[in-house]
Amino acid sequence: MSGLELVGPLVGEMGSIGVGEMHTTIASKIAFSKNLDDNYNILVKDTEMLHAIKKDKEMKAQRNSHKDTTNAYKLWTNRVSEATEEAQKLKLKYEEKTLPWWRIQKRSHLSEEMEKKSNCVRQLMNDECLKEFLVDKPPEPVLKELNVPQISGYPTLQGALDNTLVLLKNNKIKIIGMCGTKGVGKTTIMRNLNNNEEIAKLFEIVIFVKVTSNDRKLQEKIAHRLMLDKGVNNEDSDDVARRIHRELEKKRYLLILDEVEDAIDLELLGIPSDNNNGSKVVIVTRFPLVYKLNRVQRVIKVAELSPDEAWKMFRDTVHAFNPKIDSPDIQPTAKLVCKRCSRLPLLIYNIANSFKLKESASSWWAGLEDLKPWPELQSQGLEELYSCLKFCYDELNDKRKQKCFLYTSLYPADSKVYSDYLVECWAAQGLLGDINDTRSYQSARNCGIDILEHLANVSLLEKGEAMIYVNMNHCMRQLALHISSKDPECSFYLQDGEESENLSNSRAWQQARWVSMRQVHELRRSQDCSTILTLLLRKNPELTALPECFFENMSSLLLLDLYSSMITQLPSSLSKLTVLRGLFLNRCELLESLSSEIGLLQFLEVLDIRDTKVIFIPLQIGFLTKLRCLRIPFIASEDNEAQNVHVISKLHRLEELTIQVISYEQWCNDAKNVLAHVASLENVNHLRCCFPSSIILGEFLSRSKSWHRKQNSFRFTVGCQNSRRPQILESFEYKITNYLRYCNGGQKDDPAIIEVLPKTDAFELVCHKDIKKLSNFAGIACLERIRGLLIERCNQVLTIVSGETSRNVMNGIQIETAVILPNLEQLYLENLLNLKCAFRGPLHSGTFSRLQTLSLKNCPRLSQIFSNGAIQHFSELQKLKLEDCSKIEELVGEDIERERDVLPKLEILLLVNLPNFKSICATHTLAWSSLELLRIHNCHKFKTLPLDSVNAVNLKSIKGQQEWWANLDWTNNEEVLQRLQPIFVASNEYFS
């Protein structure tokens, strides 16, 4: 081909420009043509780097889930997507290989475009918005209330809620009031209102707060809800008010103020009064005068339940535990008891729970006789309320249980009181019986847990999550304080900040038995404190020192709690506490040593010094020969050597030991020696500790004199540092006692782990080097007890369970030889990079028969969850979450048309970030009989829902991105669209 033929098109393109300029242009074109390959390679590398930067930022954003990305960053990601798409088009043109070297014009044009795109990509890589791309998230529009009693079956309560909704939609009304006597259900109605789906649509943010008598505290609660609480403590009220006003002035807000007892200056708090955008305030109170003081425009009065409603609530509450209430000899008396509840929901609930364990007509009648008015309260119409609450207390009919209940009132109303700690306090007071050589501390703890459960079951205390903590509501606390004030053995003194008790019966603290003081700045020496049994100085961040003689006259003190104070040392007068049984110094972060006097506390049973700076292990502890429970940090000394390790073996009566490892590197050196001394203790039945390796664990187990007892409980971490509160334990509604986390192990390291597994309730397997499937790791038998399982970053795992490699054959098909994980309730599979199929059948009957929650996250090679009939073993599954699994296309890929009702109890299905996911199941004929919530996020290829006009009858909500919903295929399914459209909620937010 001649040169003219090569450059002819270029010359034609130059047109009428000069010869010199033409020469330059042609040369430039030829240069671009020659550089096409280089420009292609540069573009590929630049786009790869840009993608990596974007991925890194996304990962950082995920790790900081409490943060949001800036708008500039979001625009940047859009530009990155556009640039990447354009670069891909250019790369495809190049890779078509249709541009031989002599096509100079087209080659130069493509090369020039690639160079420009590379420049664009490099600009994106260096964009200023990447430096600070995370910002604080705005507050959630609605904070959902948990465990809210349903009111839909009670027209009185539901009617009040409906009336409130009507007024909230009335643009002429700004302030609404709700009035009713104590216990009538106002707070329950408001909690239902807060959770109501219409509220989320009406308002941009809902602020639901319990009012205090301290306006500053109320303002802080509002600021906290709006996530404006940073620096609030250092600002004056006017500055905080201005910040609240700026946050709310352009928002449509709903402010619910519960338990209002006086006038509230909303403007002084910072609540805008002049934004005519539909914002509302609801004031809830039992005092009619409050409405006049707060300019309420409309009042909703909440009446007592009708007699039929009251009986329904009472009967349903009892019947859930005791169907005998419907028997002819009990029901008439039960209706009389219900009548005494004054048709107040609070009373009905509490009294019904007090009667629910009564089995005979005689016991019901005796209970009714005892349900008499309490004459000592003659104000505010609360006589019936308090007489009924007092009845619940009297029905305990056990002095020990009653004192335990009264003791719990030392803590602020509705505050979390951790169950184990509370039981230890009761034990220190002697409320749980003697602890001696014939009666263990564990026996006393069991007794305390039994009492705690009983108090919760009869509703004198409220259960927290998994019974880890309890709380006492305001009404019950007032009852307990009133009773305590009449009992010299339970005399109290309270000074606890927001809830300080200025009661006439609250005597000087030196003369009380039980003392609780918060927000204390300093303490002075007291003359005579010989009657004090409990001294709670918890959560006093400004308490930095105790006077040297402070304990001089506290010879009867049984329990001292300095949790989370800022003391740096203990006074010498500590030696005077010769009968002290419980000493709590945990989270005294400035405390560096224990005074020598602590060795004189010969009756001390519980010592907690976690989260202090005390070096392991104080010599004085060796003198505490009656110590039953020790919680201590491992902090190495300056010379990096554990001191006085022999002290541990002197604690012959020790039953519970927690070693909180802070200096992990040094612990790896000293653990073997320390644990050898721990192994010599014969009475330890609860141990929390981390083991640097499974070898050290195995040595400990072989030496331990207490390990082989049946009643042992433990929290072991092997191969890594222990965590404060393992995530897997949070998912259970009940308390898990035996927990094992095993990290960085290999097949040769497993024997010691296998010895622990048969006693384990919750197991986390992390970064195992060899395991390919679960049965390879441990065998089946030792997994029987496990109820919670996390497998994470085990990159050799190909499947969790499989029948393919088993030796047992049924009908010519290999199956697993035994039931696998028959008691498992929660299963989490995370970051398993080579997991291909999670569950491969056939499996033995009973496998996974109790599994309720299944979560798979970041398993990039996962293509199947269930195969070969495995899905039939998941009949109890209630929640299924699939997240960041890029390869999977289908949730249920098996031919299961004959098994129409698979996953019959599945209630919640979450599908998150699945780029290739196309369908939930191969057939649309599945019943989905229990499905209630369907959540879809970033599943753009998912075009068809497995729903028709008759299945998924209990489906209440579908949540996903509007774009995804708009692109769904509704061909020949217009009727289904009409059915589902009302329950679809558009949202771009990530959900868990």
Side-chain angles (χ1 to χ4, degrees):
M1 183 176 290
S2 69
L4 183 61
E5 290 176 301
L6 292 174
V7 301
L10 296 179
V11 173
E13 184 179 301
M14 297 303 106
S16 60
I17 63 175
V19 174
E21 189 176 350
M22 179 186 299
H23 181 272
T24 302
T25 302
I26 292 173
S28 172
K29 296 286 185 180
I30 293 173
F32 270 117
S33 177
K34 288 181 178 180
N35 291 336
L36 176 60
D37 294 339
D38 291 339
N39 285 339
Y40 168 81
N41 292 327
I42 291 171
L43 180 61
V44 169
K45 290 179 181 179
D46 286 346
T47 52
E48 285 177 349
M49 180 58 71
L50 180 62
H51 178 74
I53 292 172
K54 182 184 177 187
K55 192 69 176 177
D56 288 343
K57 297 299 180 182
E58 289 172 347
M59 290 175 65
K60 186 173 182 180
Q62 289 178 359
R63 287 195 301 269
N64 294 273
S65 56
H66 59 288
K67 296 274 191 178
D68 200 358
T69 54
T70 62
N71 290 329
Y73 173 78
K74 290 169 184 171
L75 290 172
W76 180 85
T77 59
N78 291 336
R79 289 164 56 203
V80 168
S81 298
E82 292 171 1
T84 303
E85 184 178 342
E86 291 166 2
Q88 183 63 26
K89 291 178 180 178
L90 294 175
K91 288 188 285 184
L92 289 175
K93 285 184 180 180
Y94 173 86
E95 290 165 358
E96 288 174 356
K97 298 182 178 179
T98 57
L99 296 175
W101 64 269
W102 62 82
R103 302 291 295 274
I104 296 176
Q105 180 180 353
K106 290 188 177 182
R107 285 174 60 88
S108 65
H109 179 73
L110 179 58
S111 180
E112 188 174 1
E113 287 295 309
M114 284 185 173
E115 183 176 272
K116 289 179 181 178
K117 190 53 61 182
S118 290
N119 292 334
C120 174
V121 167
R122 283 193 287 273
Q123 287 178 356
L124 288 171
M125 289 162 57
N126 298 305
D127 199 297
E128 286 292 321
C129 76
L130 298 179
K131 293 181 179 178
E132 297 291 339
F133 75 103
L134 292 177
V135 293
D136 290 330
K137 276 186 177 181
E140 291 287 335
V142 179
L143 289 181
K144 294 288 187 180
E145 292 282 307
L146 302 177
N147 302 318
V148 180
Q150 294 299 310
I151 62 175
S152 56
Y154 305 97
T156 299
L157 302 177
Q158 185 64 45
L161 174 62
D162 293 341
N163 291 338
T164 306
L165 280 171
V166 171
L167 294 177
L168 290 175
K169 296 174 184 177
N170 189 328
N171 291 329
K172 296 181 179 180
I173 297 173
K174 168 78 173 179
I175 303 178
I176 303 164
M178 178 167 285
C179 177
T181 188
K182 185 77 175 178
V184 80
K186 303 183 298 296
T187 299
T188 297
I189 294 169
M190 288 297 102
R191 294 175 72 197
N192 276 270
L193 179 71
N194 179 83
N195 290 5
N196 190 282
E197 295 296 330
E198 286 193 59
I199 292 297
K201 299 174 183 177
L202 285 172
F203 301 97
E204 294 173 75
I205 187 165
V206 179
I207 308 166
F208 186 7
V209 294
K210 178 182 175 182
V211 173
T212 69
S213 56
N214 185 324
D215 286 345
R216 174 68 175 181
K217 291 289 185 184
L218 175 58
Q219 189 181 54
E220 288 176 4
K221 287 183 177 182
I222 295 171
H224 177 73
R225 172 67 182 93
L226 296 172
M227 299 177 70
L228 303 174
D229 44 352
K230 288 185 179 178
V232 164
N233 294 331
N234 301 320
E235 294 183 39
D236 62 34
S237 296
D238 290 341
D239 290 335
V240 179
R242 279 189 282 272
R243 291 172 64 188
I244 292 173
H245 191 278
R246 282 196 299 270
E247 183 70 14
L248 291 179
E249 64 181 345
K250 295 181 180 180
K251 286 187 176 179
R252 185 181 174 95
Y253 65 83
L254 171 61
L255 174 62
I256 303 174
L257 299 174
D258 196 16
E259 296 191 12
V260 181
E261 296 183 357
D262 205 346
I264 296 178
D265 192 330
L266 296 175
E267 293 185 15
L268 198 63
L269 295 175
I271 307 301
S273 60
D274 53 354
N275 58 341
N276 298 315
N277 63 354
S279 294
K280 309 287 183 185
V281 178
V282 178
I283 291 178
V284 184
T285 183
R286 64 179 187 267
F287 302 115
L289 181 62
V290 168
Y291 299 125
K292 297 178 182 178
L293 296 174
N294 287 286
R295 297 173 295 170
V296 169
Q297 296 166 275
R298 294 282 293 274
V299 176
I300 297 171
K301 293 184 178 180
V302 183
E304 294 82 8
L305 300 177
S306 70
D308 289 343
E309 289 175 307
W311 170 244
K312 171 179 166 55
M313 183 178 289
F314 185 95
R315 184 258 176 199
D316 289 350
T317 304
V318 175
H319 189 271
F321 294 87
N322 186 3
K324 291 183 179 180
I325 189 174
D326 291 335
S327 64
D329 56 336
I330 290 179
Q331 190 175 98
T333 310
K335 288 189 174 182
L336 292 175
V337 173
C338 179
K339 190 174 181 180
R340 293 285 182 92
C341 294
S342 304
R343 293 180 286 140
L344 294 174
L346 177 62
L347 291 182
I348 293 169
Y349 179 75
N350 284 290
I351 300 299
N353 276 291
S354 294
F355 274 80
K356 68 187 179 186
L357 302 179
K358 296 184 181 296
E359 299 287 337
S360 66
S362 297
S363 62
W364 274 84
W365 188 258
L368 177 63
E369 287 294 306
D370 290 335
L371 194 60
K372 297 176 181 178
W374 184 13
E376 295 176 338
L377 288 173
Q378 299 292 334
S379 62
Q380 302 175 4
L382 299 179
E383 294 91 338
E384 283 189 287
L385 174 60
Y386 278 97
S387 65
C388 290
L389 298 180
K390 178 65 163 55
F391 165 78
C392 296
Y393 168 81
D394 291 336
E395 270 292 285
L396 292 173
N397 201 28
D398 183 322
K399 286 288 185 183
R400 184 168 55 180
K401 290 179 180 176
Q402 290 174 337
K403 283 192 174 182
C404 289
F405 167 70
L406 298 178
Y407 189 94
T408 311
S409 66
L410 289 174
Y411 304 92
D414 298 320
S415 64
K416 293 180 179 179
V417 185
Y418 286 88
S419 302
D420 287 339
Y421 160 77
L422 182 59
V423 167
E424 289 161 7
C425 293
W426 291 346
Q429 296 298 300
L431 300 177
L432 305 180
D434 293 333
I435 299 167
N436 48 45
D437 289 338
T438 59
R439 186 170 184 264
S440 68
Y441 194 79
Q442 183 62 45
S443 296
R445 186 180 289 283
N446 291 341
C447 175
I449 294 297
D450 182 61
I451 291 173
L452 198 63
E453 289 178 350
H454 183 78
L455 294 176
N457 286 335
V458 298
S459 302
L460 288 172
L461 296 179
E462 297 178 4
K463 293 181 182 179
E465 297 170 3
M467 198 64 179
I468 293 170
Y469 65 86
V470 294
N471 59 62
M472 181 182 284
N473 67 39
H474 180 79
C475 196
M476 288 298 181
R477 187 171 189 250
Q478 292 303 311
L479 167 74
L481 294 176
H482 182 88
I483 296 171
S484 295
S485 69
K486 305 299 181 183
D487 186 346
E489 293 186 4
C490 303
S491 58
F492 65 90
Y493 176 87
L494 299 180
Q495 178 189 324
D496 54 4
E498 181 180 323
E499 303 193 28
S500 294
E501 299 298 331
N502 297 315
L503 305 175
S504 59
N505 49 57
S506 184
R507 63 201 72 189
W509 72 271
Q510 295 92 336
Q511 300 173 346
R513 294 288 187 96
W514 299 337
V515 176
S516 176
M517 293 191 286
R518 295 195 181 196
Q519 299 188 6
V520 175
H521 301 278
E522 61 177 325
L523 294 166
R524 299 178 181 177
R525 179 184 175 185
S526 302
Q527 297 302 314
D528 181 13
C529 304
S530 58
T531 62
I532 297 179
L533 303 178
T534 286
L535 179 58
L536 304 181
L537 297 172
R538 297 168 55 82
K539 297 183 180 179
N540 280 300
E542 297 186 24
L543 180 62
T544 58
L546 299 173
E548 278 299 311
C549 299
F550 183 68
F551 299 116
E552 195 74 37
N553 298 303
M554 295 189 190
S555 57
S556 299
L557 193 65
L558 298 172
L559 183 134
L560 173 61
D561 188 349
L562 289 161
Y563 166 79
S564 199
S565 63
M566 293 292 111
I567 61 170
T568 57
Q569 62 182 13
L570 295 167
S572 58
S573 57
L574 187 74
S575 62
K576 301 298 183 180
L577 306 181
T578 54
V579 296
L580 192 71
R581 295 182 180 178
L583 177 57
F584 296 90
L585 301 171
N586 44 323
R587 289 198 68 181
C588 293
E589 296 173 354
L590 302 181
L591 184 66
E592 295 185 351
S593 64
L594 299 181
S595 61
S596 59
E597 288 79 11
I598 202 169
L600 300 174
L601 306 181
Q602 293 296 302
F603 289 92
L604 196 66
E605 295 170 343
V606 179
L607 175 61
D608 191 343
I609 55 175
R610 288 172 299 166
D611 294 307
T612 65
K613 294 182 179 179
V614 176
I615 302 299
F616 188 91
I617 179 173
L619 188 63
Q620 306 92 308
I621 289 179
F623 297 101
L624 304 177
T625 56
K626 293 192 176 181
L627 201 63
R628 305 288 182 143
C629 176
L630 175 62
R631 296 190 279 268
I632 185 170
F634 180 88
I635 300 177
S637 60
E638 291 183 0
D639 57 4
N640 288 328
E641 185 176 342
Q643 305 289 335
N644 309 315
V645 175
H646 66 280
V647 164
I648 297 174
S649 55
K650 293 183 178 182
L651 304 177
H652 301 296
R653 294 182 174 87
L654 196 66
E655 298 181 34
E656 302 177 7
L657 175 62
T658 296
I659 301 177
Q660 177 196 30
V661 175
I662 306 298
S663 305
Y664 183 69
E665 289 185 12
Q666 187 58 37
W667 173 251
C668 292
N669 295 327
D670 295 337
K672 185 174 181 179
N673 186 23
V674 173
L675 290 167
H677 288 277
V678 174
S680 70
L681 300 175
E682 297 183 359
N683 295 306
V684 173
N685 54 48
H686 177 76
L687 177 62
R688 292 189 183 186
C689 185
C690 79
F691 299 82
S693 70
S694 61
I695 295 173
I696 293 178
L697 172 64
E699 292 176 355
F700 169 78
L701 297 179
S702 65
R703 293 179 180 179
S704 175
K705 295 182 179 181
S706 60
W707 168 250
H708 296 288
R709 294 181 178 179
K710 291 184 179 180
Q711 300 302 320
N712 275 19
S713 62
F714 57 86
R715 188 177 291 180
F716 290 168
T717 304
V718 183
C720 55
Q721 195 166 1
N722 49 354
S723 56
R724 187 172 296 272
R725 175 71 183 164
Q727 178 183 354
I728 196 169
L729 301 185
E730 302 286 353
S731 60
F732 284 88
E733 296 180 359
Y734 55 88
K735 187 176 180 180
I736 294 291
T737 57
N738 294 355
Y739 162 82
L740 172 64
R741 179 178 176 89
Y742 179 35
C743 305
N744 303 309
Q747 191 170 357
K748 62 182 177 61
D749 306 318
D750 295 343
I753 302 299
I754 293 172
E755 183 176 346
V756 177
L757 281 175
K759 296 184 177 184
T760 301
D761 297 312
F763 178 40
E764 294 183 349
L765 181 63
V766 182
C767 294
H768 196 280
K769 301 168 186 173
D770 301 321
I771 175 179
K772 294 186 177 180
K773 72 172 185 173
L774 197 58
S775 54
N776 292 155
F777 167 67
I780 303 305
C782 63
L783 300 174
E784 275 191 22
R785 175 169 171 154
I786 290 176
R787 286 173 278 173
L789 176 61
L790 165 69
I791 304 177
E792 181 179 4
R793 286 177 284 158
C794 299
N795 291 333
Q796 297 300 314
V797 169
L798 302 176
T799 184
I800 304 305
V801 294
S802 169
E804 292 181 355
T805 58
S806 172
R807 296 179 181 177
N808 197 25
V809 177
M810 180 182 293
N811 297 327
I813 302 175
Q814 292 176 323
I815 66 169
E816 287 284 6
T817 57
V819 178
I820 304 171
L821 296 165
N823 293 303
L824 189 67
E825 298 175 15
Q826 313 270 343
L827 176 57
Y828 300 88
L829 308 174
E830 299 185 2
N831 302 306
L832 303 178
L833 301 186
N834 285 303
L835 180 68
K836 296 180 179 179
C837 177
F839 311 104
R840 194 183 302 278
L843 303 176
H844 198 287
S845 176
T847 295
F848 297 119
S849 58
R850 296 187 180 180
L851 188 66
Q852 298 175 10
T853 298
L854 172 61
S855 174
L856 299 100
K857 182 177 181 180
N858 193 26
C859 302
R861 300 187 68 184
L862 181 72
S863 58
Q864 285 182 299
I865 299 177
F866 314 102
S867 77
N868 206 15
I871 196 169
Q872 64 184 308
H873 296 273
F874 292 79
S875 58
E876 296 296 316
L877 193 65
Q878 297 175 15
K879 180 179 179 180
L880 175 56
K881 180 178 179 180
L882 189 60
E883 178 179 3
D884 292 325
C885 299
S886 56
K887 190 173 182 180
I888 194 163
E889 298 183 6
E890 200 165 51
L891 183 67
V892 182
E894 303 184 52
D895 182 10
I896 42 152
E897 291 190 41
R898 287 176 290 181
E899 290 287 342
R900 175 176 166 79
D901 201 11
V902 297
L903 306 179
K905 294 189 177 180
L906 187 68
E907 297 177 0
I908 301 172
L909 178 58
L910 307 175
L911 303 173
V912 182
N913 298 337
L914 308 175
N916 288 303
F917 189 81
K918 296 178 180 178
S919 67
I920 289 180
C921 61
T923 172
H924 287 199
T925 61
L926 301 185
W928 303 110
S929 52
S930 299
L931 189 64
E932 294 183 4
L933 303 176
L934 179 60
R935 300 288 185 260
I936 312 295
H937 186 79
N938 283 347
C939 301
H940 302 298
K941 292 185 179 180
F942 180 29
K943 301 291 187 181
T944 306
L945 292 176
L947 305 174
D948 53 35
S949 58
V950 294
N951 68 356
V953 294
N954 291 307
L955 189 61
K956 298 176 181 177
S957 173
I958 302 174
K959 187 174 182 179
Q961 293 144 307
Q962 181 63 52
E963 180 184 3
W964 165 77
W965 181 258
N967 289 329
L968 285 176
D969 182 5
W970 299 105
T971 305
N972 301 322
N973 280 299
E974 189 65 29
E975 182 183 351
V976 179
L977 173 61
Q978 296 302 318
R979 174 197 165 198
L980 300 180
Q981 185 67 58
I983 62 174
F984 171 71
V985 178
S987 174
N988 289 319
E989 296 180 1
Y990 172 80
F991 41 80
S992 59

